[in-house]
Amino acid sequence: MQKTNCSLPNETIEACKESHAILLGAVGGAVGTDRWKDHPTGDRPEKGLLRIREQLGLYCNLRPAILYPQLKSASPLRADLVKDGLDIIIVRELTSGIYFGKKSRVNGDCDETTFATDELYYNKKEITRILEDGFNVAMKRNKYVTIVDKANVLETSKLWREIAEEVANKFPEITYKFMYVDNAAMQLIVNPTQFDVIITTNMFGDILSDEASVLTGSIGMLPSASLGNTTLGLYEPSHGSAPDIAGCDIANPLATILSVAMMLRHSLNLEAEAKSIENAVGAVLDCNYRTKDIFEEGKILVGTNEMSNLVIKELK
Ligand code: IPM
Ligand code: MG
């Protein structure tokens, strides 16, 4: 965006559509000043990300939160809460909900009469497909789903629950329960191992995935995949661009490297290769190498480049 002043030029969309998979760098801009505050059309980097998800129909966002056994003491949670590790996957709806509903700003000058709206919209098709995808993910894991909503307040959440009952009928082997989002935010802290697959809306998934990620030691460890109806997928680290440490060679590259593993698995059908990347990351952690975000006493501190090279060496 810095180069073209446009968050998503048409050439980029075209190139993405012709690809088998997309690896996306983290999104965000310079720290402190908001460089795009006065953009003539209100364009911003985040808008590019939302548009690319929408234009490519990538409605299903998979965000695994895995606490590597080597990083147990990097988790902010008490040791007894994570003694058996953590392995949660958040299945987040990604192309509808409050992110994409109608927005308005009336009497825009911000005086007493000014107001703004963001519509929270979901239709049956959108809810059904994300629930089905989430249940299919659960079939390959422990067959246990938690559907997170706010059905005590929101009409869209009530609709989610009705449709969830329908979808669940097609998956008799799966145990599922509903949980309000406020309670889920708390349960992730007090009893995180109760979760396996969490299926939720765009906004709740955004918030809970940041929360879940940090339980695993560092958001710098977590990959993500955004999928649609074809094998075309977009892969990106769950974290932002961390402009405050740009160029310092201290950022953790593992979330991006693990995103490549997800890309090999979900878009390119290369399961063995995906596993070998994940194993290489595990091996480098076993050898006690740590970037700053996951560093602790007694470990070997390495920078972004060195960490990447260690994983490459291990792969070879
Ligand atoms: C994420 C990010 C994005 C989102 C932003 C950058 C628009 O927070 O991928 O979680 O809210 O979806
Ligand atoms: Mg987010």
Side-chain angles (χ1 to χ4, degrees):
M1 176 154 190
Q2 242 153 277
K3 244 191 223 160
T4 59
N5 208 25
C6 168
S7 63
L8 189 62
N10 281 335
E11 304 95 90
T12 308
I13 299 186
E14 290 315 314
C16 289
K17 284 185 177 160
E18 282 165 23
S19 307
H20 295 291
I22 302 148
L23 183 65
L24 191 109
V27 164
V31 78
T33 55
D34 188 349
R35 187 196 295 258
W36 292 286
K37 193 168 147 277
D38 298 316
H39 192 283
T41 65
D43 200 2
R44 323 182 34 88
E46 294 86 350
K47 283 198 175 174
L49 179 58
L50 296 181
R51 266 188 66 217
I52 203 168
R53 290 172 178 168
E54 186 195 25
Q55 294 260 322
L56 301 176
L58 305 173
Y59 66 86
C60 175
N61 186 213
L62 304 180
R63 297 196 161 179
I66 297 168
L67 176 57
Y68 279 76
Q70 303 91 329
L71 297 182
K72 262 182 206 164
S73 49
S75 173
L77 291 184
R78 237 177 30 226
D80 60 305
L81 292 175
V82 291
K83 63 179 189 318
D84 302 321
L86 261 190
D87 187 352
I88 301 172
I89 184 162
I90 297 185
V91 180
R92 169 190 176 195
E93 198 292 321
L94 202 61
T95 53
S96 185
I98 200 164
Y99 273 57
F100 290 90
K102 278 195 213 96
K103 295 174 190 306
S104 75
R105 173 91 175 224
V106 176
N107 300 343
D109 282 343
C110 203
D111 58 30
E112 284 73 55
T113 66
T114 307
F115 63 91
T117 67
D118 292 282
E119 183 185 47
L120 171 49
Y121 170 97
Y122 269 114
N123 65 38
K124 182 160 186 181
K125 180 178 155 210
E126 291 163 346
I127 301 169
T128 307
R129 65 186 181 185
I130 190 69
L131 284 165
E132 283 176 353
D133 284 8
F135 274 68
N136 278 317
V137 168
M139 284 301 287
K140 295 195 204 121
R141 294 170 54 104
N142 296 313
K143 303 192 174 143
Y144 182 63
V145 166
T146 309
I147 299 160
V148 172
D149 62 32
K150 188 72 187 172
N152 49 348
V153 178
L154 301 176
E155 196 56 39
T156 41
S157 288
K158 290 180 197 147
L159 183 60
W160 271 70
R161 286 202 178 193
E162 280 169 49
I163 296 172
E165 306 280 4
E166 283 179 26
V167 170
N169 282 334
K170 293 185 243 162
F171 294 87
E173 286 169 60
I174 292 202
T175 308
Y176 68 100
K177 73 188 242 185
F178 297 108
M179 193 181 282
Y180 297 140
V181 63
D182 46 353
N183 186 26
M186 181 178 76
Q187 294 297 328
L188 273 170
I189 306 291
V190 296
N191 183 9
T193 49
Q194 72 182 284
F195 295 105
D196 192 75
V197 176
I198 293 176
I199 310 177
T200 192
T201 62
N202 202 341
M203 178 75 142
F204 296 158
D206 179 45
I207 298 166
L208 293 181
S209 61
D210 267 33
E211 186 185 351
S213 71
V214 86
L215 303 182
T216 69
S218 167
I219 194 168
M221 291 297 300
L222 295 187
S224 80
S226 303
L227 308 169
N229 286 327
T230 67
T231 55
L232 173 65
L234 180 143
Y235 302 84
E236 55 176 325
S238 287
H239 58 72
S241 60
D244 53 327
I245 56 169
C248 301
D249 193 37
I250 57 172
N252 187 343
L254 295 180
T256 300
I257 292 173
L258 292 167
S259 298
V260 174
M262 289 190 93
M263 176 167 94
L264 296 177
R265 173 171 298 125
H266 294 285
S267 282
L268 306 176
N269 199 19
L270 295 169
E271 176 61 32
E273 288 80 354
K275 265 260 147 323
S276 66
I277 292 184
E278 289 162 351
N279 291 341
V281 168
V284 169
L285 294 175
D286 280 338
C287 294
N288 291 327
Y289 293 109
R290 303 284 189 270
T291 44
K292 193 169 167 225
D293 56 315
I294 50 175
F295 180 72
E296 53 190 316
E297 217 33 58
K299 306 294 177 197
I300 309 161
L301 183 64
V302 294
T304 312
N305 283 309
E306 196 179 347
M307 185 56 116
S308 312
N309 288 333
L310 286 163
V311 176
I312 293 167
K313 219 163 91 201
E314 191 58 46
L315 271 172
K316 282 180 178 158

